[in-house]
Amino acid sequence: MSGIGRFITFEGIDGSGKSTQIHRLAETLRNAGHNVVLTREPGGSPGAEDIRKLVLEGDPDRWSAETEILLFTAARRDHLERTILPALAAGKIVLCDRFADSTRMYQGLSRGDLRAIVDQLHSLMIGREPDLTILIDMDPATGLSRAKSRQTAEERFEDFGQGLQEQMRKGFLDLSRQYADRFRVIDGAQDIDDVASDIARTVLAELA
Ligand code: ADP
Ligand code: TYD
């Protein structure tokens, strides 16, 4: 199916099932005949994947929140220019694991209120919101234990601990009310197949 491109993002705390579910949705949409590009942040283009290593590995205090805003936004700008906008212009559905809402939460809330700086830099350098955002809502303790069981080097944010995850969960739910036109909240505590069918139903209804 061709036509206008659609930009769909997945958000939620670490371990909420975004990566699992975005792959399931990609498969469902491809089976329904859609042309899908699956991507992620930080990353999604060669330059942005290089920045990913800088921000996700190392000590939690490696960067200040302000420096992180610049690094995540630099990565996002490259990703937008080289991956997202060309795919949308070609009429594809872009599924992106995290986007600017993650910066609004992780950099905008976690170390003081920097939300206004995040939003200003976003409008200056990015200027694009998703058409639809799937928020997988989840109890932070379960999310963190799922995320920790993965054992990767990319644990800088998980190492901030459960307090951060609780703050992020509440922040994402607040954001879903602020941007109620594009956010849809899914219950991530269900088993994988039930979460997948809730997401598929929601997205197919929006695309129709
Ligand atoms: P995220 O991308 O949000 O961090 P993942 O999709 O990587 O989350 O999931 C984190 C871990 O939890 C993975 O090991 C995954 O297999 C598992 N998982 C994902 N969804 C569920 C679920 N609904 N129930 C139980 N385990 C899940
Ligand atoms: P991700 O790879 O999605 O991790 P997870 O699968 O554990 O959810 O994202 C890695 C981390 O990057 C995650 O802890 C959140 C953080 N992050 C930010 O702090 N700001 C951002 O703008 C983005 C996109 C991610």
Side-chain angles (χ1 to χ4, degrees):
M1 197 183 292
S2 64
I4 50 161
R6 299 296 261 287
F7 181 30
I8 303 175
T9 58
F10 276 54
E11 297 284 358
I13 61 172
D14 300 293
S16 55
K18 297 178 301 301
S19 157
T20 306
Q21 293 298 335
I22 206 166
H23 283 90
R24 292 284 296 258
L25 179 65
E27 192 187 341
T28 301
L29 293 177
R30 284 178 182 135
N31 289 341
H34 293 282
N35 203 335
V36 175
V37 170
L38 182 55
T39 186
R40 67 164 182 186
E41 289 207 347
S45 63
E49 290 287 337
D50 283 345
I51 296 174
R52 179 181 178 97
K53 293 192 190 73
L54 295 175
V55 285
L56 296 192
E57 297 181 16
D59 287 346
D61 62 0
R62 182 178 185 185
W63 308 109
S64 71
E66 288 83 352
T67 310
E68 276 173 20
I69 294 171
L70 293 166
L71 289 169
F72 278 107
T73 307
R76 181 162 305 128
R77 174 74 197 207
D78 192 62
H79 184 207
L80 191 72
E81 284 176 8
R82 292 167 197 265
T83 304
I84 298 173
L85 292 179
L88 292 174
K92 297 178 182 171
I93 296 181
V94 176
L95 300 182
C96 187
D97 191 343
R98 296 192 183 277
F99 192 65
D101 295 318
S102 282
T103 317
R104 292 183 170 109
M105 295 297 100
Y106 285 82
Q107 283 66 47
L109 286 187
S110 65
R111 283 149 287 172
D113 183 4
L114 298 179
R115 179 64 196 281
I117 294 177
V118 173
D119 283 334
Q120 281 167 28
L121 197 60
H122 179 78
S123 56
L124 199 61
M125 296 312 303
I126 308 296
R128 180 71 159 88
E129 299 294 349
D131 300 309
L132 178 66
T133 298
I134 300 294
L135 172 59
I136 306 183
D137 180 51
M138 166 95 245
D139 160 58
T142 314
L144 197 58
S145 72
R146 281 188 196 169
K148 281 285 185 189
S149 69
R150 279 183 307 218
Q151 300 268 343
T152 67
E154 296 181 339
E155 297 197 344
R156 218 181 125 240
F157 286 91
E158 290 154 21
D159 288 343
F160 280 103
Q162 193 175 321
L164 175 78
Q165 301 299 321
E166 277 162 12
Q167 195 184 15
M168 296 299 99
R169 182 197 200 180
K170 180 181 178 304
F172 274 123
L173 288 170
D174 290 344
L175 207 58
S176 76
R177 289 184 279 270
Q178 184 186 347
Y179 293 107
D181 53 333
R182 69 175 164 88
F183 262 88
R184 300 292 176 269
V185 182
I186 302 290
D187 176 10
Q190 312 172 81
D191 70 37
I192 290 179
D193 288 343
D194 290 336
V195 179
S197 59
D198 273 8
I199 293 173
R201 197 174 329 108
T202 302
V203 172
L204 290 170
E206 294 290 335
L207 291 176

